[in-house]
Amino acid sequence: MESGTGAVDVIELRLYDLQRSVYRSFRHVAEAKHVVFLLNLGQPLPKTVVTDVKRLQQIIKNLLSNAFKFTHPHSQVTLNAYALQERILIDVSDHCGGLPAAMSATTFAPFAWPGSDRTGLGLGLSIARPSLESSGGSPRPRGRPRVGLLLAA
Protein backbone atom coordinates (compact mmCIF):
# COMPACT_ATOMS: atom_id res chain seq x y z
CA MET A 1 0.00 0.00 0.00
CA GLU A 2 3.05 2.25 -0.14
CA SER A 3 1.98 4.05 -3.30
CA GLY A 4 -1.61 4.78 -2.31
CA THR A 5 -2.93 2.54 -5.05
CA GLY A 6 -4.46 -0.89 -4.97
CA ALA A 7 -7.60 -2.49 -3.68
CA VAL A 8 -9.54 -0.83 -0.92
CA ASP A 9 -10.13 -3.09 2.07
CA VAL A 10 -12.82 -1.40 4.16
CA ILE A 11 -13.58 -2.78 7.62
CA GLU A 12 -14.87 -1.51 10.94
CA LEU A 13 -12.13 -0.12 13.20
CA ARG A 14 -12.38 0.73 16.88
CA LEU A 15 -10.79 4.15 17.36
CA TYR A 16 -9.46 3.09 20.75
CA ASP A 17 -7.49 0.29 19.05
CA LEU A 18 -6.08 2.75 16.52
CA GLN A 19 -5.08 5.12 19.31
CA ARG A 20 -3.25 2.36 21.20
CA SER A 21 -1.50 1.15 18.06
CA VAL A 22 -0.32 4.63 17.07
CA TYR A 23 0.94 5.37 20.57
CA ARG A 24 2.83 2.06 20.79
CA SER A 25 4.39 2.64 17.38
CA PHE A 26 5.73 6.13 18.15
CA ARG A 27 6.31 6.36 21.91
CA HIS A 28 9.89 5.08 21.55
CA VAL A 29 10.60 7.61 18.81
CA ALA A 30 9.32 10.37 21.09
CA GLU A 31 11.37 9.14 24.04
CA ALA A 32 14.55 8.86 21.98
CA LYS A 33 14.15 12.42 20.72
CA HIS A 34 12.97 13.77 24.10
CA VAL A 35 9.69 14.92 22.58
CA VAL A 36 6.29 14.91 24.23
CA PHE A 37 3.84 12.88 22.13
CA LEU A 38 0.17 13.74 22.57
CA LEU A 39 -2.81 11.92 21.09
CA ASN A 40 -6.02 13.89 21.43
CA LEU A 41 -9.24 12.23 20.39
CA GLY A 42 -11.89 14.92 20.52
CA GLN A 43 -15.39 14.33 21.74
CA PRO A 44 -17.76 13.25 20.53
CA LEU A 45 -16.10 10.72 18.27
CA PRO A 46 -17.80 7.51 17.31
CA LYS A 47 -16.44 4.35 18.93
CA THR A 48 -15.87 2.81 15.50
CA VAL A 49 -15.35 3.95 11.92
CA VAL A 50 -15.58 2.06 8.66
CA THR A 51 -12.36 2.66 6.77
CA ASP A 52 -9.47 1.12 4.90
CA VAL A 53 -7.37 0.42 7.99
CA LYS A 54 -4.10 -0.18 6.13
CA ARG A 55 -4.37 3.09 4.25
CA LEU A 56 -5.34 5.00 7.38
CA GLN A 57 -2.40 3.53 9.29
CA GLN A 58 -0.02 4.38 6.43
CA ILE A 59 -1.27 7.96 6.31
CA ILE A 60 -0.85 8.41 10.06
CA LYS A 61 2.57 6.73 9.99
CA ASN A 62 3.80 9.04 7.23
CA LEU A 63 2.44 12.19 8.89
CA LEU A 64 3.89 11.30 12.31
CA SER A 65 7.23 10.06 10.95
CA ASN A 66 7.68 13.37 9.19
CA ALA A 67 6.68 15.34 12.29
CA PHE A 68 9.12 13.47 14.54
CA LYS A 69 11.90 13.74 11.98
CA PHE A 70 11.79 17.52 11.84
CA THR A 71 10.56 18.57 15.28
CA HIS A 72 13.10 19.97 17.72
CA PRO A 73 14.15 17.91 20.76
CA HIS A 74 12.41 18.84 24.01
CA SER A 75 9.29 20.00 22.18
CA GLN A 76 6.03 18.31 21.20
CA VAL A 77 4.28 16.37 18.43
CA THR A 78 0.50 16.20 18.60
CA LEU A 79 -2.05 14.13 16.70
CA ASN A 80 -5.62 15.41 17.01
CA ALA A 81 -8.71 13.62 15.73
CA TYR A 82 -12.15 15.18 15.79
CA ALA A 83 -15.52 14.77 14.15
CA LEU A 84 -16.90 17.21 11.63
CA GLN A 85 -20.30 16.25 10.29
CA GLU A 86 -19.92 12.73 8.85
CA ARG A 87 -16.12 12.79 8.70
CA ILE A 88 -13.25 12.41 11.11
CA LEU A 89 -10.49 14.93 10.64
CA ILE A 90 -6.91 14.29 11.67
CA ASP A 91 -4.18 16.83 12.11
CA VAL A 92 -0.58 16.45 13.17
CA SER A 93 1.41 19.37 14.49
CA ASP A 94 5.09 19.62 15.31
CA HIS A 95 7.67 22.11 16.48
CA CYS A 96 10.19 22.14 13.65
CA GLY A 97 10.88 25.85 13.86
CA GLY A 98 8.53 26.84 11.06
CA LEU A 99 8.14 26.01 7.42
CA PRO A 100 9.63 28.35 4.82
CA ALA A 101 6.77 30.02 2.92
CA ALA A 102 8.04 28.62 -0.39
CA MET A 103 7.81 25.06 0.99
CA SER A 104 4.11 25.26 1.87
CA ALA A 105 3.06 24.61 -1.73
CA THR A 106 5.46 21.67 -2.13
CA THR A 107 5.02 19.95 1.25
CA PHE A 108 3.34 16.92 -0.34
CA ALA A 109 5.57 16.84 -3.42
CA PRO A 110 8.09 14.01 -3.82
CA PHE A 111 11.69 14.77 -2.87
CA ALA A 112 10.73 17.99 -1.06
CA TRP A 113 12.84 18.48 2.05
CA PRO A 114 12.50 21.58 4.21
CA GLY A 115 15.87 22.88 5.26
CA SER A 116 19.12 20.96 5.02
CA ASP A 117 18.07 17.54 6.42
CA ARG A 118 18.19 15.14 3.48
CA THR A 119 17.73 11.91 5.43
CA GLY A 120 15.07 9.61 4.09
CA LEU A 121 13.81 9.48 0.55
CA GLY A 122 11.61 12.58 0.69
CA LEU A 123 8.58 10.49 -0.27
CA GLY A 124 6.58 10.01 2.96
CA LEU A 125 4.10 12.84 2.52
CA SER A 126 3.85 12.36 -1.25
CA ILE A 127 2.92 8.72 -0.58
CA ALA A 128 0.27 9.82 1.94
CA ARG A 129 -1.38 12.25 -0.48
CA PRO A 130 -3.00 9.73 -2.91
CA SER A 131 -4.25 7.64 0.02
CA LEU A 132 -5.77 10.72 1.60
CA GLU A 133 -7.40 11.79 -1.63
CA SER A 134 -8.71 8.30 -2.47
CA SER A 135 -10.49 8.26 0.89
CA GLY A 136 -12.11 11.64 0.22
CA GLY A 137 -9.58 13.63 2.23
CA SER A 138 -7.50 16.57 1.20
CA PRO A 139 -4.12 17.30 2.77
CA ARG A 140 -3.67 20.87 3.93
CA PRO A 141 -0.29 22.02 5.25
CA ARG A 142 -0.28 25.18 7.35
CA GLY A 143 3.00 26.64 8.44
CA ARG A 144 3.12 28.24 11.87
CA PRO A 145 5.92 30.84 11.74
CA ARG A 146 8.82 30.08 14.12
CA VAL A 147 6.82 27.17 15.60
CA GLY A 148 6.20 24.33 13.18
CA LEU A 149 3.84 22.73 10.76
CA LEU A 150 0.23 21.65 11.05
CA LEU A 151 -0.81 18.99 8.56
CA ALA A 152 -4.56 18.54 8.39
CA ALA A 153 -6.24 15.68 6.58
Coordinates of all heavy atoms in Angstrom, one line a residue, residues 95-128:
H95 N 6.9 20.9 16.1 CA 7.7 22.1 16.5 C 9.0 22.1 15.8 O 10.1 21.8 16.4 CB 7.8 22.2 18.0 CG 6.6 22.6 18.7 ND1 5.6 21.6 19.0 CD2 6.1 23.8 19.1 CE1 4.6 22.2 19.6 NE2 4.9 23.5 19.7
C96 N 9.0 22.2 14.5 CA 10.2 22.1 13.6 C 10.9 23.5 13.5 O 11.9 23.6 12.8 CB 9.9 21.5 12.3 SG 8.7 22.5 11.3
G97 N 10.3 24.5 14.0 CA 10.9 25.9 13.9 C 10.2 26.7 12.8 O 10.6 27.8 12.5
G98 N 9.2 26.1 12.1 CA 8.5 26.8 11.1 C 8.9 26.3 9.7 O 10.0 25.8 9.5
L99 N 8.0 26.5 8.8 CA 8.1 26.0 7.4 C 8.4 27.2 6.5 O 7.6 28.2 6.6 CB 6.9 25.3 7.0 CG 6.9 24.6 5.6 CD1 7.8 23.4 5.6 CD2 5.5 24.2 5.2
P100 N 9.4 27.2 5.7 CA 9.6 28.4 4.8 C 8.4 28.5 3.9 O 7.8 27.5 3.5 CB 10.9 27.9 4.0 CG 11.6 26.9 4.8 CD 10.5 26.2 5.6
A101 N 8.0 29.8 3.7 CA 6.8 30.0 2.9 C 6.8 29.3 1.6 O 5.8 28.8 1.1 CB 6.6 31.5 2.7
A102 N 7.9 29.3 0.9 CA 8.0 28.6 -0.4 C 7.8 27.1 -0.3 O 7.4 26.5 -1.3 CB 9.4 28.9 -1.0
M103 N 8.0 26.5 0.8 CA 7.8 25.1 1.0 C 6.3 24.7 1.2 O 6.0 23.5 1.0 CB 8.6 24.5 2.2 CG 10.1 24.4 2.0 SD 10.6 23.2 0.7 CE 9.9 21.7 1.3
S104 N 5.5 25.6 1.6 CA 4.1 25.3 1.9 C 3.4 24.6 0.7 O 2.7 23.7 0.8 CB 3.3 26.5 2.3 OG 2.1 26.1 2.8
A105 N 3.7 25.1 -0.5 CA 3.1 24.6 -1.7 C 3.6 23.2 -2.1 O 3.0 22.5 -2.9 CB 3.2 25.6 -2.9
T106 N 4.8 22.9 -1.7 CA 5.5 21.7 -2.1 C 5.6 20.6 -1.0 O 6.3 19.6 -1.2 CB 6.9 22.0 -2.7 OG1 7.7 22.5 -1.7 CG2 6.8 22.9 -3.9
T107 N 4.9 20.9 0.1 CA 5.0 20.0 1.3 C 4.7 18.5 0.9 O 5.4 17.6 1.4 CB 4.1 20.4 2.4 OG1 4.5 21.7 2.8 CG2 4.2 19.5 3.6
F108 N 3.7 18.3 0.0 CA 3.3 16.9 -0.3 C 3.9 16.5 -1.7 O 3.5 15.5 -2.2 CB 1.8 16.8 -0.4 CG 1.2 16.7 1.0 CD1 0.9 17.9 1.7 CD2 1.0 15.5 1.6 CE1 0.3 17.8 3.0 CE2 0.4 15.4 2.9 CZ 0.1 16.6 3.6
A109 N 4.9 17.2 -2.2 CA 5.6 16.8 -3.4 C 6.7 15.9 -3.1 O 7.3 15.9 -2.0 CB 6.1 18.1 -4.1
P110 N 7.0 14.9 -4.0 CA 8.1 14.0 -3.8 C 9.4 14.8 -3.8 O 9.6 15.7 -4.5 CB 8.0 13.0 -5.0 CG 7.2 13.7 -6.0 CD 6.3 14.7 -5.3
F111 N 10.3 14.3 -3.0 CA 11.7 14.8 -2.9 C 11.7 16.2 -2.4 O 12.7 17.0 -2.7 CB 12.5 14.6 -4.2 CG 12.3 13.2 -4.8 CD1 11.6 13.0 -6.0 CD2 12.9 12.2 -4.1 CE1 11.5 11.8 -6.5 CE2 12.7 10.9 -4.6 CZ 12.0 10.7 -5.8
A112 N 10.7 16.6 -1.6 CA 10.7 18.0 -1.1 C 11.2 17.9 0.4 O 10.5 17.4 1.2 CB 9.3 18.6 -1.2
W113 N 12.3 18.5 0.7 CA 12.8 18.5 2.1 C 12.9 19.9 2.5 O 13.5 20.8 1.9 CB 14.3 17.9 2.1 CG 14.4 16.5 1.9 CD1 14.2 15.5 2.8 CD2 14.8 15.8 0.7 NE1 14.5 14.3 2.2 CE2 14.9 14.5 0.9 CE3 15.1 16.3 -0.6 CZ2 15.2 13.5 -0.1 CZ3 15.5 15.4 -1.6 CH2 15.5 14.0 -1.3
P114 N 12.3 20.2 3.7 CA 12.5 21.6 4.2 C 13.9 21.7 4.9 O 14.3 20.8 5.6 CB 11.4 21.7 5.2 CG 11.1 20.3 5.7 CD 11.4 19.4 4.5
G115 N 14.6 22.7 4.6 CA 15.9 22.9 5.3 C 16.9 22.0 4.7 O 16.9 21.5 3.6
S116 N 17.9 21.7 5.5 CA 19.1 21.0 5.0 C 19.1 19.5 5.3 O 19.9 18.7 4.8 CB 20.4 21.6 5.6 OG 20.3 21.5 7.0
D117 N 18.1 19.0 6.1 CA 18.1 17.5 6.4 C 17.6 16.8 5.2 O 16.5 16.9 4.8 CB 17.1 17.3 7.6 CG 17.1 15.9 8.1 OD1 17.5 15.0 7.3 OD2 16.7 15.7 9.2
R118 N 18.5 15.9 4.7 CA 18.2 15.1 3.5 C 18.1 13.6 3.8 O 18.2 12.8 2.9 CB 19.3 15.3 2.4 CG 19.3 16.8 1.9 CD 18.1 17.1 1.0 NE 18.3 18.3 0.3 CZ 17.7 19.5 0.7 NH1 17.0 19.6 1.8 NH2 17.9 20.5 -0.1
T119 N 17.9 13.3 5.1 CA 17.7 11.9 5.4 C 16.4 11.4 4.9 O 15.4 12.2 4.8 CB 17.8 11.7 7.0 OG1 16.9 12.5 7.6 CG2 19.2 12.1 7.5
G120 N 16.3 10.2 4.6 CA 15.1 9.6 4.1 C 15.0 9.9 2.6 O 15.9 10.5 2.0
L121 N 14.0 9.4 2.0 CA 13.8 9.5 0.5 C 13.1 10.7 0.1 O 13.0 11.1 -1.0 CB 13.1 8.3 0.0 CG 13.8 6.9 0.1 CD1 12.9 5.8 -0.3 CD2 15.1 6.9 -0.6
G122 N 12.4 11.4 1.1 CA 11.6 12.6 0.7 C 10.3 12.2 0.0 O 9.7 12.9 -0.7
L123 N 9.8 11.0 0.4 CA 8.6 10.5 -0.3 C 7.4 10.3 0.7 O 6.3 10.1 0.2 CB 8.9 9.1 -1.0 CG 9.8 9.2 -2.1 CD1 10.2 7.8 -2.6 CD2 9.3 10.0 -3.2
G124 N 7.6 10.4 2.0 CA 6.6 10.0 3.0 C 5.3 10.8 2.8 O 4.2 10.1 2.7
L125 N 5.3 12.1 2.7 CA 4.1 12.8 2.5 C 3.5 12.7 1.1 O 2.3 12.7 0.9 CB 4.3 14.3 2.9 CG 4.7 14.6 4.3 CD1 4.9 16.0 4.6 CD2 3.7 14.0 5.3
S126 N 4.4 12.5 0.1 CA 3.9 12.4 -1.3 C 3.2 11.0 -1.4 O 2.2 10.9 -2.2 CB 5.0 12.5 -2.3 OG 5.9 11.5 -2.2
I127 N 3.6 10.0 -0.6 CA 2.9 8.7 -0.6 C 1.6 8.8 0.1 O 0.6 8.2 -0.3 CB 3.8 7.7 0.1 CG1 5.0 7.3 -0.8 CG2 3.0 6.4 0.4 CD1 6.1 6.5 -0.1
A128 N 1.5 9.6 1.2 CA 0.3 9.8 1.9 C -0.8 10.5 1.1 O -2.0 10.2 1.3 CB 0.5 10.6 3.2

